[in-house]
Amino acid sequence: MSEFGDFFRGRRLRRTAALREIVRETALHAADLMMAYFVVETDDPTFRKEIGAMPGQYQLSLQELEKQVEAAVATGLRSCILFGIPKEKDYRGSEAYNKDGVVQQAVRLLKKRWPNLVVCTDVCLCEYTDHGHCGLVRQGDTSGEVHNDPTLSLLAKTAISHAEAGADIVAPSDMMDGRVQAIRRALDQNGFSHIPVMSYAVKYASSFYGPFREAAESTPQFGDRKTYQMDPANRVEAMREAAADIAEGADMLIVKPAGPYLDIIRDVRDRFDVPVAAYQVSGEYSMIRAAGLNGWINEDAVVMESLLGIKRAGAGLIITYFTEDLLRKGLVK
């Protein structure tokens, strides 16, 4: 006993690396991580362009995507999510639901090569519309008004085209009211009742999305997305959004972004009995990567700490651009 009395000796279990390991409460595994890819419709099969605001991430042709995924699968990649960049865009985002669109081709390619790789598709219109919004805007209208209900059938058509191509999961990210119900009904009515919907249920109008808009070439040409994405100041509203998506048929929920919204991840995890995912978004990636490249931080250590925090908050699946790096370096298995 110390001269100061009998008190808690927490350091006893921190004394060696082996002791720390056996009492560790949270661990990351390869199955916890999903990699995001940007696939470009192009006539150049060797197209591979580094994203300026996201060093180490690329826009890829179908051929280059296959090479990239091949290397990642060899190191343990279990799942990925696809974003498409078409040659042509229009006000209706018609390439989003083209059965031979770039994402649809990518799904068929990946599932043929790696049947056990879980391939998820982002269901949205923003990468495919000439105005950059996630929903339907009347042609020539620059007021910024996005029409909710007319958008739902287009999102449903997009989800069906992805399921027909072989997608394992469809993930609507548009934040239109009622889109989960529209997609779930369309899937069920077209013979895809077995395909799960992983809804971006709680998606904030975040400043952390900046680099993604360069990556996906989806910057709004007028207005902003604050009329459909959530106000970052709101917490209770997130529970309403999550509850609505579950009621409409969502099988999994995504909170986006991840790091600045750990309280929301925990709230969703505590309240709803479905798998919860979190998206460590482009801005989160770019800040860590930039600091790492400048030698200001130990990048690998900071990445692991950030992801452990997200998992500890309650996320069972984390979409992160660091997935390939962590697998290649053997930091997760």
Side-chain angles (χ1 to χ4, degrees):
M1 179 180 294
S2 165
E3 63 180 299
F4 299 105
D6 191 12
F7 50 80
F8 173 63
R9 295 279 185 178
R11 291 182 59 191
R12 288 174 183 152
L13 298 180
R14 304 177 198 140
R15 187 168 53 85
T16 68
L19 280 170
R20 292 192 295 273
E21 185 176 12
I22 67 170
V23 299
R24 188 163 293 142
E25 300 173 26
T26 307
L28 283 172
H29 304 286
D32 299 331
L33 305 178
M34 177 177 279
M35 182 65 191
Y37 292 107
F38 301 96
V39 57
V40 179
E41 184 180 20
T42 174
D43 294 326
D44 179 4
T46 65
F47 182 85
R48 179 184 181 88
K49 179 182 177 184
E50 188 169 30
I51 299 161
M54 299 177 68
Q57 302 302 309
Y58 297 85
Q59 293 179 334
L60 302 165
S61 67
L62 287 166
Q63 178 177 292
E64 290 297 309
L65 173 69
E66 184 176 13
K67 291 180 181 178
Q68 191 84 14
V69 174
E70 183 174 38
V73 168
T75 61
L77 181 70
R78 310 294 177 81
S79 65
C80 65
I81 184 168
L82 300 176
F83 299 89
I85 304 167
K87 283 183 182 178
E88 302 293 335
K89 303 187 179 192
D90 59 35
Y91 81 102
R92 293 179 60 84
S94 57
E95 283 300 308
Y97 40 91
N98 179 349
K99 292 185 178 183
D100 291 315
V102 66
V103 163
Q104 292 81 352
Q105 292 182 59
V107 171
R108 288 193 288 267
L109 171 67
L110 296 184
K111 291 305 295 184
K112 183 178 180 180
R113 280 290 312 272
W114 300 282
N116 293 326
L117 178 68
V118 176
V119 177
C120 177
T121 56
D122 180 80
V123 176
C124 195
L125 301 184
C126 63
E127 298 118 274
Y128 305 92
T129 56
D130 54 12
H131 48 74
H133 279 286
C134 301
L136 192 61
V137 173
R138 290 197 177 93
Q139 193 167 17
D141 183 2
T142 59
S143 69
E145 183 179 0
V146 176
H147 298 277
N148 191 95
D149 291 8
T151 301
L152 302 184
S153 62
L154 303 184
L155 296 170
K157 288 173 64 176
T158 302
I160 292 298
S161 72
H162 292 174
E164 289 174 340
D168 296 293
I169 302 172
V170 295
S173 64
D174 55 284
M175 288 299 284
M176 297 297 112
D177 296 336
R179 89 273 201 213
V180 172
Q181 178 175 274
I183 290 169
R184 181 73 271 161
R185 285 181 176 175
L187 289 170
D188 293 349
Q189 291 168 1
N190 285 274
F192 297 107
S193 59
H194 59 288
I195 298 297
V197 175
M198 182 169 70
S199 169
Y200 289 71
V202 183
K203 182 177 179 181
Y204 286 91
S206 173
S207 299
F208 285 85
Y209 300 151
F212 176 92
R213 290 174 182 170
E214 176 188 338
E217 300 181 9
S218 60
T219 303
Q221 298 303 299
F222 49 83
D224 55 40
R225 295 178 175 148
K226 293 181 180 179
T227 64
Y228 45 101
Q229 295 177 358
M230 284 181 53
D231 187 333
N234 291 0
R235 182 177 183 178
V236 174
E237 183 186 7
M239 300 304 102
R240 296 200 299 269
E241 290 284 355
D245 281 9
I246 290 175
E248 291 177 19
D251 301 282
M252 304 171 66
L253 304 177
I254 302 176
V255 177
K256 180 182 181 184
Y261 298 91
L262 297 179
D263 58 326
I264 307 301
I265 296 171
R266 172 46 56 189
D267 286 347
V268 173
R269 171 67 285 158
D270 287 345
R271 181 162 175 179
F272 302 105
D273 190 22
V274 298
V276 176
Y279 198 145
Q280 186 182 53
V281 300
S282 58
E284 297 175 80
Y285 169 87
S286 294
M287 289 191 300
I288 295 173
R289 177 50 55 91
L293 290 173
N294 279 285
W296 298 334
I297 59 171
N298 179 330
E299 181 177 317
D300 289 346
V302 169
V303 170
M304 288 296 291
E305 187 174 341
S306 69
L307 296 177
L308 282 169
I310 295 166
K311 188 171 182 184
R312 194 177 63 246
L317 177 67
I318 304 170
I319 305 168
T320 174
Y321 301 98
F322 289 111
T323 296
E324 286 188 348
D325 286 350
L326 296 177
L327 293 171
R328 187 178 63 254
K329 295 173 181 177
L331 295 174
V332 295
K333 297 180 181 178

